[in-house]
Amino acid sequence: MKHKTVVKEHLAEKYKEVRVCTEKIVAPLQTEDYIIQAGPDASPPKWHLAHTTWFFERFVLKEYKTTYESLNDQFDYLFNSYYETVGEFHPRAKRGVLARPSIEEVKQYRYYVDAHMKELFEELTEENRDKVLSIVEIGLQHEQQHQELLLTDIKYNFFTNPLLPAYISQTTEENGKRKETSFIEIEGGLIEVGHGDSSFSFDNERPRHKVWLEPYRIADAPVTNREYIEFIEDGGYERPELWLSDGWAHIKKEGWKHPLYWGKDGNEWSIFTLHGQSALNLDEPVCHVSFYEGDAFARWQGKRLPTEQEWEHAFSGIECEGNFVENNFYHPNSQYKGNGPLYKGYGDVWEWTRSPYVPYPKSKPLEGALGEYNAKFMCNQMVLKGGSCATPHSHIRPTYRNFFQPEKRWQFTGFRLAEDI
């Protein structure tokens, strides 16, 4: 009983902390910024604030608080993201046309739900405690995912503005120097991957299971801007033999010639960041590249991307420390300290792997509507590992499986190389 009380109090406190962190992220925004949706992948900040609130209302309060009454029944349609089993929802690509409800109404919605969640924590009974707390934990992890999406979407929204406004002023970061890449040899054999202890994990990380790995080498750090410029200058974006067919089709369609957010004036490269436009730091990990770009670079180098199992095995014994959102830098840095002999596996940039996003053996999605959270996206997506400079530190672990379609570039995505022995 005492243990369960401690768990409840911990989650109640964590609930407040996570919700405050979301509000901290949007604090620098002006009223006009809340509604912008610059592309179908990005969502308006106002929508993120409302959707993360809707999650707690829909899956916790409406299910387990018998006296709960919705602040506005129309929000169930407006702020559902993709849960078909709980009803219809507003099209994702049209979230930016929702001038109403106003940002003030959305903030009121958050306060309203938070107040009822506080009451729920206080009145939990033995009968439903474990079930409610498990859903609350998912809701908090879900909001942390949207904290990262808020930052990436704000960045993309601001980038489409010809004024290139800064989201926040530049913070001081010590610059470092990247030495020449080396490859660390990893023994193969029968190993285990996936989440296996009692701490939180998503259903797509389970169950822990055995896989066979041949011996391999993995780069000690992600590919840098300096290395990627060499690829560009060698005609990397003009050589179809380096590209997967679908990747080459995207080059022709989208006109890619360099990573997203890069620009060039004469011989000088620049990059747009959440701090505004700045000179490109050549020693930072390359960022905002697609899987296709990472794969093409690897072919150009005569290497390959690691599988997700190779990545997880290599980093399972490395301390989960790095440049996360708590640093308030919101950009990959050029510091290569700690975590040796493998650097920057955690934080800075999500690292593309060559592994398709598929279920683990004997994997079982969650029951009910929350079964849609991960399982229904297990097609035409690639796995990324490690977290980024926009990821909350407490959100990441070696077994975490992020996933995106291979052409996506607006997230903080980079890569490291691997090779067979």
Side-chain angles (χ1 to χ4, degrees):
M1 178 68 72
K2 182 178 180 180
H3 170 71
K4 292 183 177 181
T5 300
V6 171
V7 170
K8 183 184 76 169
E9 292 176 350
H10 167 73
L11 272 181
E13 187 61 31
K14 184 178 178 181
Y15 179 89
K16 290 189 292 185
E17 291 174 357
V18 169
R19 300 286 279 178
V20 167
C21 285
T22 302
E23 289 158 15
K24 175 186 174 184
I25 289 171
V26 299
L29 300 180
Q30 301 296 318
T31 301
E32 293 81 0
D33 300 327
Y34 281 97
I35 195 172
I36 301 299
Q37 181 180 22
D41 286 328
S43 294
K46 182 174 69 174
W47 186 89
H48 285 293
L49 292 178
H51 168 68
T52 50
T53 302
W54 169 87
F55 189 98
F56 288 109
E57 177 182 63
R58 183 61 185 81
F59 295 116
V60 180
L61 294 176
K62 286 188 174 182
E63 296 293 330
Y64 298 101
K65 196 172 192 299
T66 57
T67 59
Y68 181 75
E69 294 183 5
S70 297
L71 181 65
N72 187 326
D73 290 335
Q74 293 176 319
F75 289 177
D76 204 43
Y77 169 78
L78 292 178
F79 303 126
N80 179 1
S81 53
Y82 51 70
Y83 294 91
E84 302 276 0
T85 52
V86 300
E88 296 182 351
F89 45 85
H90 188 73
R92 176 177 180 175
K94 295 183 177 180
R95 292 170 183 168
V97 305
L98 298 175
R100 303 296 175 91
S102 69
I103 182 57
E104 292 306 319
E105 289 175 287
V106 167
K107 289 180 178 179
Q108 182 184 2
Y109 179 42
R110 283 181 69 87
Y111 302 151
Y112 181 83
V113 167
D114 287 348
H116 284 276
M117 285 294 296
K118 181 180 179 181
E119 291 179 1
L120 181 68
F121 280 120
E122 294 171 351
E123 63 191 32
L124 277 177
T125 65
E126 187 72 21
E127 180 181 1
N128 62 19
R129 184 199 317 263
D130 292 346
K131 181 67 173 177
V132 172
L133 294 181
S134 67
I135 298 175
V136 169
E137 181 66 80
I138 293 173
L140 295 175
Q141 298 281 335
H142 167 259
E143 182 144 349
Q144 287 184 311
Q145 290 176 323
H146 278 269
Q147 289 168 359
E148 178 157 5
L149 288 169
L150 265 166
L151 288 167
T152 53
D153 290 357
I154 290 168
K155 183 174 183 177
Y156 190 73
N157 290 342
F158 280 20
F159 179 65
T160 63
N161 187 327
L163 300 178
L164 297 177
Y167 156 74
I168 195 170
S169 60
Q170 177 77 57
T171 56
T172 302
E173 274 280 321
E174 176 187 349
N175 288 328
K177 185 78 172 177
R178 173 67 185 136
K179 61 181 179 62
E180 186 176 348
T181 299
S182 62
F183 284 78
I184 309 301
E185 189 167 318
I186 308 291
E187 292 185 8
L190 190 64
I191 59 103
E192 289 190 343
V193 295
H195 201 83
D197 62 37
S198 60
S199 61
F200 177 83
S201 66
F202 286 113
D203 54 355
N204 66 359
E205 300 172 62
R206 302 188 296 267
R208 190 164 178 82
H209 59 284
K210 293 181 175 62
V211 296
W212 178 265
L213 295 181
E214 295 294 331
Y216 63 100
R217 297 187 184 94
I218 191 167
D220 64 338
V223 168
T224 64
N225 293 328
R226 186 190 310 275
E227 294 168 315
Y228 202 82
I229 287 174
E230 294 175 2
F231 169 71
I232 296 173
E233 293 178 343
D234 195 42
Y237 282 88
E238 299 154 11
R239 296 168 57 181
E241 72 272 17
L242 297 175
W243 295 80
L244 292 169
S245 177
D246 194 46
W248 185 249
H250 274 86
I251 282 186
K252 305 300 284 186
K253 178 183 177 182
E254 305 294 340
W256 293 347
K257 295 186 181 300
H258 49 69
L260 182 63
Y261 299 123
W262 281 30
K264 194 175 185 182
D265 184 8
N267 293 323
E268 300 298 321
W269 287 98
S270 63
I271 186 171
F272 179 75
T273 75
L274 283 163
H275 311 296
Q277 194 83 349
S278 64
L280 186 69
N281 183 332
L282 299 182
D283 293 295
E284 293 169 354
V286 67
C287 190
H288 297 294
V289 289
S290 66
F291 164 82
Y292 293 131
E293 289 163 294
D295 180 77
F297 180 97
R299 291 172 194 271
W300 176 72
Q301 286 273 301
K303 311 293 185 183
R304 61 175 175 82
L305 299 180
T307 67
E308 66 164 312
Q309 292 84 8
E310 288 172 337
W311 193 102
E312 184 175 327
H313 180 53
F315 282 94
S316 60
I318 304 293
E319 188 176 5
C320 187
E321 295 292 338
N323 175 25
F324 289 103
V325 74
E326 288 82 1
N327 286 17
N328 299 316
F329 188 56
Y330 308 130
H331 188 71
N333 67 33
S334 58
Q335 298 177 25
Y336 295 84
K337 301 176 181 178
N339 288 2
L342 294 172
Y343 299 95
K344 290 186 173 291
Y346 299 111
D348 281 300
V349 293
W350 285 103
E351 297 186 14
W352 288 106
T353 72
R354 66 186 299 184
S355 297
Y357 179 52
V358 295
Y360 282 163
K362 300 182 180 179
S363 175
K364 294 182 179 179
L366 298 173
E367 296 180 359
L370 288 178
E372 296 188 60
Y373 196 104
N374 287 308
K376 76 186 214 176
F377 299 108
M378 291 179 171
C379 180
N380 301 326
Q381 313 222 36
M382 306 301 289
V383 174
L384 302 99
K385 303 287 282 185
S388 82
C389 55
T391 309
H393 183 202
S394 64
H395 187 66
I396 211 65
R397 50 198 167 270
T399 61
Y400 195 105
R401 305 174 78 201
N402 199 0
F403 53 92
F404 283 107
Q405 293 97 337
E407 74 277 10
K408 301 305 183 187
R409 311 204 299 168
W410 97 110
Q411 290 295 309
F412 288 93
T413 49
F415 61 97
R416 76 178 62 222
L417 300 178
E419 63 181 357
D420 300 316
I421 294 177

